[in-house]
Amino acid sequence: MFKNYTMNQLVFPLDLEVKLQNNDIAFHVHHLVESIPHEAFEPFLRNEGCPAYHPRMMLKIILCAYTQSVFSGRKIEALLKDSIRMMWLAQGHEPSYRTINRFRVQLEVKELIRQCFVQFRCRLVEENLIDQEAVFIDGTKIEANANKFTFVWKKSIENYHQSLIEKSNQLYNELLENEIIPEMERESAEQLSLEELAQLVQQVDDIVTEYDQQIETSSDVLERKALRNERKYPKQARKQLMDMALRKQKYQQDFEIFGTRNSYSKTDPDATFMRMKDDYMQNGQLKAGYNVQIATEGQYSLAYSIFSNPTDTRTLIPFLDEIEQHYFELPKHIVADAGYGSEQNYNDILSNRKREALITYNLYLKEQEKKYKQNTLNPDNWHYDEETDTYTCPNQKRLEFHHDSVRNDRTGFQREFKIYECEDCSGCPFRSSCTKAKEGNNRKLMVNEKW
């Protein structure tokens, strides 16, 4: 005996909500988006043209598709036709993939996503799923959709630009010596600006035009030949100057794209070339990508940001600034791995934000090893006398305080050092292993007391 099954009987459609399980992800997406204030959707309001799909509905179907690892606009459109949860969220609407893609690339959607994170955290607090005692920060590098052979390196552009400056100055001096152009008032004696190169091109072009007119009006063959010979050098100089102006303009555009970065991709200028994790053959790959920073608590993602800087050390402070400005107030404890450990980061968290940093530093695990503690040549193991402010090396020589030093790193952060110098390193049996100083120079020790 079989249950009744026929394809010729009319079946009235039911509310699709009854077909979903009580804990279906669609309900969570629905409640999350509905909790976003109405004011967040006002930028999408248009008073002309055909009525648009409601942004709440569009955001729901996109977020629900993302939870199912579906990111293609065409695949999201297909889910709207055969997925019960997607049909329920869309309430019968079937926007095309073009509409979906146009919606999610709008700048206003970025603010909506931020609102989702804020509302999601509020729900977690209401449900007592997080205690707001700590925030855990980590990052990962995501490969960009760009060819790995489209790199542009800042160091190479700087070398090319310097070579261009030298050649343009040399050509300008040659034109002055040959009395082809008059001397001009330059903005800088070091290099010609783009406007000055364009002015030189115009001046040399006028000289070439004069030669052209003289050649056309002259009927003497020898005179015409002499004029052509005289015109040859200005024509070559004009071509060189035009090429220099174009290259100058391109290099300036490159420097604007670089900003503080060392590289960018030609097909994705926002992507930076960075070392990715080793593949299954243990080969490190240098590819265009982004450094994505995520803040979590209780394994829930609470905030995110994208950086072009490949090192986590220099992303912590701007990421914390963004969290405080756009997401939530920082809790008491900030937790991260050793990749974020630096004096600048500790100083910012402890002194500026008045929070506690549960962040190790790069040498923390190494310092716990027995081999590290028993290494007599390691300055960390040398005896320090607080009264005399001196260190004692393995050869029982004293290193006395010499002077203070202040250094700035690449981010402009100042670090203070105390420089100690050994009283006498001559004849020391540990000299070759202890220092690389030349003969006659004593071992110097840099100590950062704050660090």
Side-chain angles (χ1 to χ4, degrees):
M1 183 176 179
F2 299 104
K3 293 184 179 181
N4 182 39
Y5 172 75
T6 176
M7 296 293 293
N8 299 322
Q9 184 176 353
L10 178 64
V11 178
F12 288 103
L14 296 175
D15 185 3
L16 294 175
E17 183 178 355
V18 302
K19 303 289 289 182
L20 299 175
Q21 298 182 7
N22 294 332
N23 63 342
D24 194 275
I25 189 66
F27 293 118
H28 299 287
V29 173
H30 167 68
H31 293 312
L32 174 65
V33 177
E34 289 295 330
S35 65
I36 299 177
H38 175 73
E39 293 77 15
F41 297 94
E42 290 182 354
F44 295 91
L45 187 61
R46 301 290 185 271
N47 296 323
E48 65 278 349
C50 179
Y53 292 112
H54 201 288
R56 287 191 191 271
M57 184 271 291
M58 297 294 294
L59 185 59
K60 288 178 184 179
I61 63 175
I62 289 175
L63 292 180
C64 186
Y66 287 174
T67 63
Q68 308 305 308
S69 298
V70 177
F71 307 101
S72 167
R74 292 180 183 272
K75 291 183 179 180
I76 295 176
E77 180 186 3
L79 287 179
L80 290 169
K81 302 179 186 300
D82 55 25
S83 172
I84 295 178
R85 61 169 61 96
M86 292 286 283
M87 288 189 289
W88 175 69
L89 289 174
Q91 288 295 296
H93 294 294
E94 295 182 358
S96 67
Y97 71 93
R98 290 189 180 91
T99 304
I100 295 171
N101 290 337
R102 279 198 299 264
F103 174 80
R104 60 181 173 179
V105 298
Q106 296 182 65
L107 294 178
E108 293 85 353
V109 176
K110 181 179 181 180
E111 174 62 17
L112 273 184
I113 297 297
R114 188 191 68 82
Q115 289 276 2
C116 286
F117 275 92
V118 173
Q119 297 300 325
F120 178 62
R121 184 176 181 276
C122 292
R123 292 293 300 274
L124 293 176
V125 173
E126 292 174 2
E127 300 293 336
N128 295 322
L129 294 175
I130 58 176
D131 53 16
Q132 306 183 74
E133 287 293 324
V135 62
F136 300 79
I137 295 176
D138 201 359
T140 184
K141 296 182 179 66
I142 296 181
E143 184 178 350
N145 187 16
N147 192 301
K148 64 181 180 179
F149 299 109
T150 59
F151 47 77
V152 180
W153 300 104
K154 188 175 185 178
K155 190 66 176 177
S156 299
I157 298 299
E158 288 176 345
N159 293 336
Y160 295 147
H161 186 232
Q162 184 61 36
S163 176
L164 175 64
I165 292 174
E166 295 174 358
K167 292 180 180 179
S168 60
N169 288 335
Q170 181 181 357
L171 181 58
Y172 173 72
N173 293 330
E174 290 179 359
L175 292 174
L176 289 179
E177 292 177 1
N178 296 329
E179 298 182 353
I180 296 179
I181 60 172
E183 186 174 0
M184 60 189 304
E185 295 184 4
R186 298 174 56 175
E187 298 177 5
S188 172
E190 298 178 356
Q191 61 175 312
L192 291 165
S193 65
L194 182 61
E195 293 75 13
E196 290 171 344
L197 285 173
Q199 184 178 349
L200 289 177
V201 171
Q202 184 61 43
Q203 290 179 353
V204 176
D205 184 66
D206 293 341
I207 299 297
V208 174
T209 304
E210 291 180 6
Y211 276 112
D212 292 339
Q213 294 175 354
Q214 293 177 12
I215 293 173
E216 290 178 0
T217 56
S218 175
S219 58
D220 188 355
V221 176
L222 295 178
E223 183 181 1
R224 288 164 62 94
K225 185 176 181 180
L227 290 173
R228 290 194 187 96
N229 289 333
E230 294 178 6
R231 186 186 62 177
K232 186 178 297 184
Y233 178 73
K235 286 186 66 175
Q236 293 176 351
R238 181 183 61 178
K239 183 178 180 181
Q240 292 178 358
L241 287 171
M242 292 176 63
D243 178 66
M244 290 176 179
L246 292 175
R247 288 168 57 193
K248 184 84 172 181
Q249 184 178 14
K250 179 183 179 302
Y251 294 155
Q252 289 183 355
Q253 293 174 352
D254 288 337
F255 287 128
E256 291 178 0
I257 296 175
F258 281 128
T260 58
R261 297 182 294 165
N262 292 324
S263 64
Y264 76 87
S265 171
K266 295 178 183 177
T267 54
D268 189 356
D270 292 332
T272 307
F273 278 82
M274 53 187 70
R275 182 71 61 182
M276 299 293 177
K277 291 183 178 179
D278 294 348
D279 59 12
Y280 56 89
M281 294 296 291
Q282 303 300 314
N283 296 320
Q285 299 275 335
L286 194 65
K287 298 179 180 179
Y290 298 92
N291 190 353
V292 180
Q293 298 292 314
I294 302 174
T296 68
E297 185 179 354
Q299 299 187 12
Y300 295 104
S301 296
L302 306 180
Y304 81 99
S305 187
I306 301 175
F307 297 91
S308 57
N309 191 344
T311 58
D312 290 336
T313 308
R314 294 164 58 185
T315 59
L316 181 62
I317 294 177
F319 185 39
L320 294 178
D321 291 337
E322 189 161 342
I323 291 176
E324 287 186 314
Q325 183 178 359
H326 298 294
Y327 291 98
F328 54 87
E329 183 180 355
L330 291 174
K332 180 180 179 181
H333 300 94
I334 297 176
V335 188
D337 58 26
Y340 297 86
S342 70
E343 182 183 353
Q344 183 178 7
N345 290 342
Y346 291 143
N347 179 74
D348 179 77
I349 295 173
L350 298 173
S351 302
N352 300 338
R353 306 181 195 274
K354 308 301 181 183
R355 300 295 193 272
E356 188 167 346
L358 302 181
I359 304 174
T360 58
Y361 47 92
N362 291 333
L363 293 179
Y364 176 77
L365 294 178
K366 188 175 182 180
E367 289 178 354
Q368 314 308 316
E369 298 177 359
K370 185 176 180 181
K371 180 180 178 181
Y372 185 91
K373 295 179 179 180
Q374 294 180 348
N375 184 6
T376 58
L377 296 177
N378 187 350
D380 290 343
N381 299 326
W382 292 358
H383 175 70
Y384 174 70
D385 189 348
E386 294 185 4
E387 295 183 358
T388 60
D389 192 17
T390 58
Y391 287 86
T392 303
C393 73
N395 197 31
Q396 302 306 311
K397 298 291 186 180
R398 294 199 312 170
L399 285 84
E400 299 179 349
F401 172 74
H402 191 268
H403 64 278
D404 291 314
S405 177
V406 178
R407 297 193 175 186
N408 296 334
D409 58 17
R410 288 187 294 179
T411 60
F413 181 72
Q414 284 190 349
R415 295 184 295 167
E416 299 177 354
F417 294 91
K418 296 180 67 176
I419 310 299
Y420 295 82
E421 185 174 351
C422 183
E423 56 183 347
D424 186 15
C425 288
S426 60
C428 178
F430 307 107
R431 180 181 177 86
S432 60
S433 302
C434 181
T435 180
K436 296 181 180 179
K438 298 180 180 179
E439 284 293 337
N441 295 335
N442 297 324
R443 166 68 189 270
K444 291 184 179 180
L445 180 64
M446 297 178 60
V447 178
N448 186 340
E449 291 184 337
K450 188 175 182 180
W451 173 244

